[in-house]
Amino acid sequence: MFYKLVFIGMFVLSAFSQASILNNIKSFDANFEQKIINPSQKEILYKGHLVLKEPYYILWQYKEPILKNVYIINNFAIIDEPELEQAILTKLQNEIDILSLIKNAKKVSKNEYLAKIYDVEYNLFTKDNKIQKIEYKDALENRVVITFTNIKQNIDIDDEIFKFLPPEHYDIIRK
């Protein structure tokens, strides 16, 4: 699941750098709802906030049903789990080839783009040159739908929000 989040963040961020798709977006700030629907149609719903900034900053802030923050800077990730009072620090094993992703994103219709990376097809839906939704099926055949609201693009975002400073009482796990 974590690596899917990394990929989706990189997918969204890389889409920003392709002017023909989204008018050369440099930053993105939005609330999100992430639905995971398993093959028997049971649904899990996550809610939170996403902040992206070129060239490689990503912050997923999960607020429901649990608190969790996923910081990604370049190829390094930190998973902050406040309820467990721990943080997991890890170097990402699979780097995302942004240029390949951009080259593979194909316009399907006026507001839909498709990219296939690592044998997974990602559908990106836009409205008014803003990303509205991303859909894909994961390796377990779950349908994942991430919908964005309160979207702000090309706003100033301070790099400091992408820095994680763990409280002294946290357990730090390095993977």
Side-chain angles (χ1 to χ4, degrees), residues 111-164:
N111 296 316
E112 183 179 358
Y113 298 83
L114 177 68
K116 185 172 182 178
I117 304 294
Y118 303 123
D119 295 323
V120 176
E121 287 187 353
Y122 294 84
N123 294 83
L124 170 69
F125 298 90
T126 63
K127 182 178 178 184
D128 301 326
N129 290 328
K130 293 181 180 179
I131 298 172
Q132 298 292 312
K133 181 169 56 171
I134 296 172
E135 293 185 6
Y136 66 95
K137 270 198 177 176
D138 68 15
L140 300 174
E141 294 298 311
N142 295 312
R143 183 170 162 245
V144 180
V145 179
I146 303 172
T147 306
F148 299 105
T149 58
N150 299 324
I151 301 163
K152 299 174 195 148
Q153 295 179 170
N154 293 329
I155 61 171
D156 286 332
I157 297 174
D158 189 345
D159 291 352
E160 291 296 311
I161 73 161
F162 300 101
K163 292 182 181 173
F164 172 68

Side-chain angles (χ1 to χ4, degrees), residues 58-77:
I58 303 169
L59 174 56
W60 290 90
Q61 297 173 306
Y62 285 85
K63 300 183 189 244
E64 293 178 31
I66 60 168
L67 293 177
K68 184 182 288 198
N69 299 302
V70 180
Y71 297 82
I72 301 165
I73 300 174
N74 206 1
N75 64 346
F76 188 77

